[in-house]
Amino acid sequence: MIFSNWIRSLDVYALTWRLPVIIWQVLFFLAPLIFMIAMSFFLVKNYRMVEAFELVNWMKIFSKGYFWNSYGLSLGLAALATFTASCIAFPASYCLAFKLSETARRWAIFFLIIPFFTSYLVRTFSWYVLMAESGVVNNIIGHLGIGPIKMLNTMFATNIGYLTLTLPLVIILQTLSMASIDKNLIEAAHNLGAGRVRAIVSVIIPAARIGLIIGALFCFILSFGDFVSPYYLGGSNPPTLPILIIDTTKSGQQWPRAAVIATVMMVTLMLVALSAIKIAYKKR
Amino acid sequence: MSDKIKTDKKSRRSFIKQSSGIATALAFPTIFTSGKALAAPTEINMLAWYGHGEADVVAEFEAMHNVKFKPKYYAGGDNMLALIAQSPPGTYDLILSDGEFVQQLDQAGHIQQLNPSDYPFDDFIHDDFKNFPGHWRDGNLYSAMIRFGFLGVSYNRNAVSEKEAMSYNCFWNKNLKGKVGHFDWHLPNLGTASLYNGNIPSPFNLDSTQWGKVQQTMMSLRSQSGGFFDYGGSFNSLKNGEMLAMCGIGDWITGALERDGAPVTSVVPEEGGLQWTESYCIGKGSKKAAIANEFIRYLLSPKGQVKSASMAAYPAFCVTNAGQAALRKENFFEAQRTGQIDGASNNPIKLINDGRIHYRDIPVQQSLEDWNDVWSEYKSS
């Protein structure tokens, strides 16, 4: 009875349109996620995975100091990248949203998209040329009697890599968010005696809150899961969680233990994303 | 008007004729090709370290035998074992293995028996190589050694003197703080630490006390460490001066750079060095075992040995006297650079006979997992 009522209450038209998204999510997100969680309980014997339900991988990973070191480092680096990208992006986005014409803004957004036309790996390697001790930056500052400064194989280089990946995206999201703010609100704030800083703090940031937070969230997600920058620019020194996953699979083919690390990463990202969305859509 | 129509019709007909000819040619391209070209090359699946399936090594053999190598590259023996374990039998026709992992391949039944009379064992440059550990079982041969090299101290000549480099102590030099790189694999690094601790002649056969001390030695190097690199990363970091010394590598990385004029080189220090050994096996279940075997024979011929020793990706020593002689004849500079000439102080056979070289092995009293755990701990500390 309840089931038939439920069937009758279904909006078939709406469901038809939602179905592709649902199928997509089930096939490419939910099913692999369930498999990954299941895999974390498997065992490896003679370099082959054997189906089992054992907690040994979880206990092994959680008991290792290097896992917690990498976890803390990954969180810290991703948070730092998020903060840095948001801070750098804000003035740029403000300028694009309020100081440029519609046409100029479109061009600017187009130019921000261009970096995505090239491989992220290639963009990362271009930093190699710039940041090496015998590279372009050190050569320039060398003429001023400074350096050479060690940049590659440091957390600084990792952060630069993260920004290469995320900064254009953060600027675009912030710009689109600010551009949709009703300009009358800002004018009203000025008419009521608010200076520029006050208008930014009291009007622009609250009004663009969703875009600012979503931009920061994307930056965090991409940085937290990135393998390329910490490996090639940071020299795995020390390793972040994505590098630890690679190390775990490389040696001994411990895919189940890698699945434990990946599950922890997924849970962390879900918690961060849910918190961010809650804050973004919180009613004032 | 009628002429125009006629012309149009004619041109339409010829267009249809021509286009159907082109379509047929596209659909059945072999109709228009010669009988010789019809014989598609036989594909040989190869599992190897990077560079072994590249043109400088295999092109001549491919042309001679109408075969095409399909290489899959790996880094590290445990990585190789994992790739094989996850593939159906017969996936790989040729498997290039680190010498110490041949035994594991054999035990797991991944490789097939070879015929010793196919290979020039009588001409091998060292008696140990004729009966290399793990390559034989119950008098039967399972793998043919084709090349080898040494691991020791690799360094930038502008920053470290040869005298300093002759001891692993140089890695702890204050001037090299943050400038000591590691090849990102536990075996050569922990093996080096074991050699430094004086665990000879068996740096990989460690009791719990020795193993504990090796870990301490390794951890004491952490503050000097500048990064952990794969093949390309090791290459780049030495080339651009980011790393001034490297642990866990040898001439197989610096040799290629040295050939290009970079001020880097490798030595076997007084505490001793490790030997890496590369051997070819034929995968069990391979349907192309005969041609795979022919390739191993080719690599052990003087011509093949020269190609192997001068491989663009990373150089190595020849394993046969005839190969070494051919190298001296064809590329004396490379033979001299690597000490493969009579009387050279860095002659590989002299170093082995002097007891300075120890064959890299898998841990005897610990598991590979234990070593990998310590390595991960080291990296993240």
Side-chain angles (χ1 to χ4, degrees), chain A residues 46-49 60 64-67 69-70 125 128 131-134 138 150-153 231-232 234-239 243-244 247-255 257, chain B residues 75 78-79 81-87 101 104 110 178-179 184-186 222 225-230 233 236-237 240-243 368-370 372-373 376-377 379-381:
Chain A
N46 293 326
Y47 296 92
R48 278 188 192 153
M49 266 198 296
K60 175 96 181 174
K64 292 292 172 190
Y66 60 77
F67 166 74
N69 289 346
S70 294
F125 269 107
Y128 224 92
M131 291 199 286
E133 284 199 20
S134 53
N138 271 315
K150 184 177 168 62
M151 288 179 277
L152 276 182
N153 307 314
Y231 192 78
Y232 289 105
S236 300
N237 189 25
I243 295 173
L244 199 58
D247 287 351
T248 313
T249 57
K250 226 169 40 176
S251 193
Q253 208 62 11
Q254 281 291 351
W255 287 98
R257 285 183 201 160
Chain B
D78 22 14
N79 185 212
L81 283 173
L83 286 168
I84 295 173
Q86 287 163 8
S87 313
F101 283 89
Q104 300 220 0
H110 294 311
K179 294 287 185 183
D184 192 1
W185 188 23
H186 54 86
R222 188 62 181 93
S225 172
F228 304 87
F229 308 97
D230 59 6
N236 280 334
S237 58
N240 61 24
E242 284 297 316
M243 294 299 127
L368 279 169
E369 196 185 326
D370 291 336
N372 190 49
D373 273 350
S376 295
E377 198 82 58
K379 282 169 69 177
S380 68
S381 60

Side-chain angles (χ1 to χ4, degrees), chain A residues 106-127:
Chain A
R106 270 191 219 140
W107 275 107
I109 288 175
F110 174 70
F111 285 124
L112 282 166
I113 292 170
I114 282 180
F116 294 105
F117 293 0
T118 58
S119 155
Y120 169 46
L121 193 62
V122 173
R123 279 181 282 151
T124 302
F125 269 107
S126 66
W127 279 112

Side-chain angles (χ1 to χ4, degrees), chain A residues 79-91:
Chain A
L80 179 65
T82 305
F83 177 75
T84 316
S86 299
C87 290
I88 296 174
F90 189 83

Side-chain angles (χ1 to χ4, degrees), chain A residues 66-242:
Chain A
Y66 60 77
F67 166 74
W68 294 110
N69 289 346
S70 294
Y71 186 60
L73 179 75
S74 303
L75 275 178
L77 282 176
L80 179 65
T82 305
F83 177 75
T84 316
S86 299
C87 290
I88 296 174
F90 189 83
S93 307
Y94 178 87
C95 175
L96 291 177
F98 300 118
K99 304 292 176 192
L100 294 188
S101 67
E102 185 85 9
T103 315
R105 190 190 310 146
R106 270 191 219 140
W107 275 107
I109 288 175
F110 174 70
F111 285 124
L112 282 166
I113 292 170
I114 282 180
F116 294 105
F117 293 0
T118 58
S119 155
Y120 169 46
L121 193 62
V122 173
R123 279 181 282 151
T124 302
F125 269 107
S126 66
W127 279 112
Y128 224 92
V129 180
L130 291 169
M131 291 199 286
E133 284 199 20
S134 53
V136 177
V137 174
N138 271 315
N139 266 328
I140 293 170
I141 61 173
H143 288 298
L144 305 171
I146 307 167
I149 299 169
K150 184 177 168 62
M151 288 179 277
L152 276 182
N153 307 314
T154 63
M155 290 185 205
F156 170 75
T158 302
N159 218 8
I160 292 288
Y162 286 160
L163 293 179
T164 306
L165 175 68
T166 61
L167 191 57
L169 186 67
V170 177
I171 295 176
I172 290 169
L173 287 168
Q174 286 193 1
T175 304
L176 294 177
S177 180
M178 284 191 219
S180 63
I181 294 173
D182 185 353
K183 308 284 184 297
N184 291 328
L185 288 174
I186 301 163
E187 269 180 39
H190 290 314
N191 290 341
L192 290 169
R196 278 185 185 177
V197 176
R198 182 79 194 275
I200 288 171
V201 173
S202 304
V203 178
I204 294 173
I205 290 179
R209 188 180 62 193
I210 294 174
L212 299 182
I213 292 176
I214 298 297
L217 178 62
F218 265 101
C219 180
F220 186 87
I221 291 170
L222 292 173
S223 306
F224 190 67
D226 181 34
F227 165 77
V228 173
S229 288
Y231 192 78
Y232 289 105
L233 296 178
S236 300
N237 189 25
T240 54
L241 285 182

Side-chain angles (χ1 to χ4, degrees), chain A residues 16-80:
Chain A
T16 308
W17 284 107
R18 281 179 202 149
L19 213 54
V21 180
I22 294 168
I23 291 171
W24 178 274
Q25 288 291 85
V26 169
L27 280 181
F28 298 108
F29 175 69
L30 202 59
L33 183 67
I34 291 168
F35 180 70
M36 187 180 76
I37 294 168
M39 198 166 74
S40 70
F41 298 100
F42 289 3
L43 295 175
V44 172
K45 285 181 181 162
N46 293 326
Y47 296 92
R48 278 188 192 153
M49 266 198 296
V50 180
E51 284 177 29
F53 190 81
E54 301 278 351
L55 287 171
V56 63
N57 300 311
W58 289 85
M59 282 154 63
K60 175 96 181 174
I61 291 293
F62 283 175
S63 66
K64 292 292 172 190
Y66 60 77
F67 166 74
W68 294 110
N69 289 346
S70 294
Y71 186 60
L73 179 75
S74 303
L75 275 178
L77 282 176
L80 179 65

